[in-house]
Structures are given as structure tokens and as C-alpha cells.
Amino acid sequence: MASSLRQEYFQIPVVTRAYTTACVLTTAAVHLEVVTPSQLHFNPDLIITRCQIWRLITSFLFFGSLGFSFLFNIIFLYRYCRMLEEGSFRGRTADFVFMLLFGGVVITLFGVVANVFFLGQAFIIMLVYVWSRRHPLTRIYFLGLLSFQAPFLPWLLMGFSLLLGNSIVVDLLGISVGHMYYFLEDVFPNRAGGRKLLRTPDLLHVVFDQLDNTDERRLPLEEQQDGELQQDEGPHN
């Protein structure tokens, strides 16, 4: 059993595995009172005046205490991060890392203005948005009740946030940054007079291109689901 679980764990693509694991360990550390949320949240003043640089990372790793909200956020993170990494970014790990860095930097800059303390949920919405725009014909079956095409998913999640009484600022932030990346990467270069503005630094290619050679035998998550273009989702808040 342990060997099977270990094998399954290492079948997860490297970036998704690293990020998801970091989120789970961070939440576990808070639950065990090793650290507190106040030591993790995004605070520009403390980052600048006290050099608490770790907050630039930890604010993307904590989704709240163990419970319903954490469970759905971690499921969405794992699912859509993995499907992007094994789908449109398959064999392009450096480009995938660059997309995450681009999204992280822009979300952080917007987070200063929006006064958002934890940025991970916006990051997940960004991933969902990019995936949904790249799979416009995929149908989503939401809670077994609603059926719609994938590009509506981020907006439906925002609607659930509103119904649950949560702020939709985080959702709008993730959608906005996701659309920025989608437009700059997939739309603008294909327009008349357009050109590619987002270019992955050579350093990322040097670091990550060697990992792509180890991923050739991995079965993508989408193919593991009986080859059906169907998803069954739940709310993330």
C-alpha cells in the first residue's frame, strides 16, 4: 500500500506536486500551531520594513484552516494545475513555471491595491480561467445539477462566493490576471500586427527542460477519466 501511494504521488507532475505539497504542509503547520496565519499573510509593510520576504510565497500557500473551504481549494488547485501542466504545457515545464511566476507577480501587485491578505485563492481562479479558455468546448457538470461550457466556470465560482457572503474581490483578481495571461499568450500574438510579448527566460529552460524528458510515460489526468470531456465540480469557498 505504501509503495503504491508513493508511486502514485510521484506520478503527479513535478510543479503540481511541489505546489500542492507546499500548500498541504503549510496548512498542517498552522493546524499544529507551528506557525500562525498572521506569520504567513501578505503584508507589504512587513515585507519592506522588516524584510519578511517569505510572505511573498506563504501568502499563496494557505487557504484557511482544515475544513470544507480548504478541501475544495486544494482539489481545485490539484486538478487544474495538473491538467494545465499535463495538457497545454506538456513538455513545456519552463513555460508553465513562467506562467505561474507571471501570475504570482501580477496578483501580488494587484493585492497591494486590493488589500488582500491571502493570495492563493486568486491564484487558483487564475489557473481555472486559463484552463477553461483553452478548453472552450469542454462541458462542466457542476454538482450534478448544472451543465455548461468550461469558460463559464470561473464566473460560476465567483457567483458561489457571492451567495456564500464572501468577497468577490479575490475571484475578480484571479479572473483579471488569468485573462491578462490568456490575452497576451493566446490572443494578441495571433492578431494582425500582434507579436509574442511573454517569453520564458533562458534560465528557466536550463533548469526545467531536463524534467520534460522524464514525463513522457505519464498518463495525463484528463485521459485517466475514461477519456470523457466531462468534469464534476463543486464550490471553492
Side-chain angles (χ1 to χ4, degrees):
M1 177 66 72
S3 176
S4 177
L5 289 175
R6 183 178 182 276
Q7 183 178 8
E8 183 63 28
Y9 176 74
F10 283 101
Q11 279 296 308
I12 302 171
V14 61
V15 177
T16 301
R17 183 170 71 239
Y19 186 32
T20 305
T21 301
C23 292
V24 171
L25 292 178
T26 300
T27 302
V30 172
H31 183 71
L32 296 173
E33 299 183 350
V34 177
V35 295
T36 65
S38 63
Q39 295 174 303
L40 305 175
H41 76 270
F42 179 63
N43 187 320
D45 290 336
L46 294 178
I47 292 171
I48 295 172
T49 61
R50 299 191 182 181
C51 295
Q52 295 184 2
I53 306 299
W54 68 82
R55 294 179 183 273
L56 292 171
I57 298 175
T58 56
S59 59
F60 286 92
L61 303 180
F62 184 64
F63 302 109
S65 302
L66 289 174
F68 182 82
S69 178
F70 166 78
L71 178 62
F72 274 98
N73 276 295
I74 208 69
I75 289 174
F76 268 73
L77 167 63
Y78 166 77
R79 186 180 185 86
Y80 289 98
C81 191
R82 180 171 183 173
M83 287 198 295
L84 278 172
E85 189 172 0
E86 293 182 331
S88 56
F89 288 99
R90 187 173 181 84
R92 300 168 52 221
T93 302
D95 294 333
F96 185 55
V97 172
F98 181 64
M99 184 199 77
L100 299 183
L101 291 174
F102 170 85
V105 169
V106 178
I107 287 174
T108 299
L109 294 175
F110 285 175
V112 175
V113 179
N115 197 30
V116 177
F117 294 114
F118 292 100
L119 306 173
Q121 207 168 72
F123 199 69
I124 293 174
I125 293 293
M126 180 199 76
L127 295 174
V128 172
Y129 185 90
V130 173
W131 178 87
S132 68
R133 293 305 298 262
R134 289 184 169 181
H135 296 80
L137 300 181
T138 299
R139 296 204 66 80
I140 303 291
Y141 292 88
F142 196 85
L143 295 175
L145 300 174
L146 301 175
S147 174
F148 52 89
Q149 290 182 313
F152 291 101
L153 179 58
W155 303 100
L156 186 67
L157 295 177
M158 186 178 70
F160 266 95
S161 292
L162 194 61
L163 289 174
L164 293 172
N166 299 318
S167 171
I168 62 172
V169 171
V170 171
D171 299 83
L172 288 173
L173 179 57
I175 289 172
S176 299
V177 176
H179 185 73
M180 286 178 60
Y181 178 83
Y182 171 74
F183 179 82
L184 292 174
E185 180 69 13
D186 294 0
V187 178
F188 183 70
N190 296 315
R191 287 188 171 180
R195 60 192 180 92
K196 188 173 178 62
L197 299 176
L198 300 179
R199 298 188 180 277
T200 304
D202 291 338
L203 177 60
L204 293 181
H205 284 294
V206 171
V207 174
F208 292 103
D209 280 358
Q210 58 184 328
L211 297 176
D212 294 330
N213 296 327
T214 66
D215 291 341
E216 295 301 323
R217 296 182 180 179
R218 180 180 294 118
L219 186 64
L221 182 62
E222 289 174 310
E223 292 182 15
Q224 294 174 21
Q225 299 168 345
D226 299 326
E228 297 179 1
L229 292 178
Q230 298 180 0
Q231 318 294 327
D232 186 11
E233 308 296 358
H236 68 306
N237 284 310

